[in-house]
Amino acid sequence: MKFEDIPTPAVYRLSFYLRQLEALLQADKNTISSKQLGEALGYSDAQVRKDLAYFGQFGHPGIGYRVEELISHLRKILGTDKIWNVLLVGVGNLGRALIAYRGFLRKGFQLTAIFDADEHKVGQAFGDLIVSPMEKLPEIAARDNIKLAILAVPADAAQRVAEWLVSAGIRGILNFAPVNITVPQDVSVQSVDLAVQLEQLSFKMSLGDTDEV
């Protein structure tokens, strides 16, 4: 099956399956059924089986899924069975919080380089990482074989920086800027807008509010 034939929500749910399975492995749980996995995440067993079936047959009759085995399959599918070097652009408040986050490496992502256009930030140290000027980005990206980037810059700079990243050979961008960016079709973008997520929570909460407005 071609990648474009797989529904985006199914791919998205794989990350939740993987997270749950990793928690089960930590708890010394060796096997799990599709019903148990679905119930833990709020999905039906049919949904779990359908999602996994896009990528192969992983269950065992009378057993269900072997947790460690399915983790291995999902990591390979998601590409996190290896370490990806990642760069970050934007060392503001959000950028510094992302630099401090220790969960990336556990998921197969190594933050390798950080950049900022502010000359006053260039040269600052954050652990083992030193803020580099934007002019160095193409050179460092090529040297360290970096194909993934995190974008944590103001909205008015996001498109310009995204184009810079693409020209430097970046093929995947995690965009935290509160604006849509346009990139070539062979470059993937995942946007994280915290305000939008809060709006969605507010909407869901308002459904239960019976007060007249």
Side-chain angles (χ1 to χ4, degrees), residues 51-74:
D51 289 343
L52 295 177
Y54 286 115
F55 306 94
Q57 296 299 322
F58 308 118
H60 299 274
I63 295 176
Y65 302 106
R66 292 191 174 98
V67 171
E68 191 167 7
E69 179 183 275
L70 188 52
I71 286 173
S72 178
H73 285 305
L74 293 184

Side-chain angles (χ1 to χ4, degrees), residues 41-57:
L41 296 166
Y43 306 136
S44 69
D45 54 337
Q47 183 70 72
V48 173
R49 290 195 300 271
K50 183 177 180 181
D51 289 343
L52 295 177
Y54 286 115
F55 306 94
Q57 296 299 322

Side-chain angles (χ1 to χ4, degrees), residues 8-30:
T8 299
V11 179
Y12 184 75
R13 285 189 290 268
L14 293 186
S15 293
F16 291 100
Y17 298 149
L18 178 57
R19 182 185 301 172
Q20 184 64 28
L21 289 164
E22 288 172 337
L24 290 169
L25 189 63
Q26 287 292 320
D28 294 324
K29 176 80 171 179
N30 296 317

Side-chain angles (χ1 to χ4, degrees), residues 110-184:
Q110 173 71 58
L111 188 58
T112 305
I114 53 179
F115 301 86
D116 202 285
D118 186 345
E119 62 182 17
H120 295 99
K121 294 178 181 177
V122 172
Q124 291 183 13
F126 293 87
D128 296 332
L129 298 173
I130 306 294
V131 181
S132 298
M134 293 297 295
E135 292 75 17
K136 289 283 189 180
L137 196 153
E139 173 190 339
I140 294 175
R143 183 194 70 196
D144 295 342
N145 191 31
I146 303 175
K147 300 298 181 184
L148 299 178
I150 301 173
L151 193 57
V153 301
D156 59 359
Q159 182 61 44
R160 181 172 69 255
V161 175
E163 292 170 2
W164 191 298
L165 291 170
V166 172
S167 68
I170 297 300
R171 289 295 173 261
I173 300 173
L174 181 60
N175 175 35
F176 280 91
V179 64
N180 290 328
I181 56 176
T182 301
V183 296

Side-chain angles (χ1 to χ4, degrees), residues 189-200:
V189 175
Q190 288 289 336
S191 293
V192 181
D193 190 324
L194 301 180
V196 168
Q197 300 302 319
L198 286 170
E199 287 171 351
Q200 295 302 304

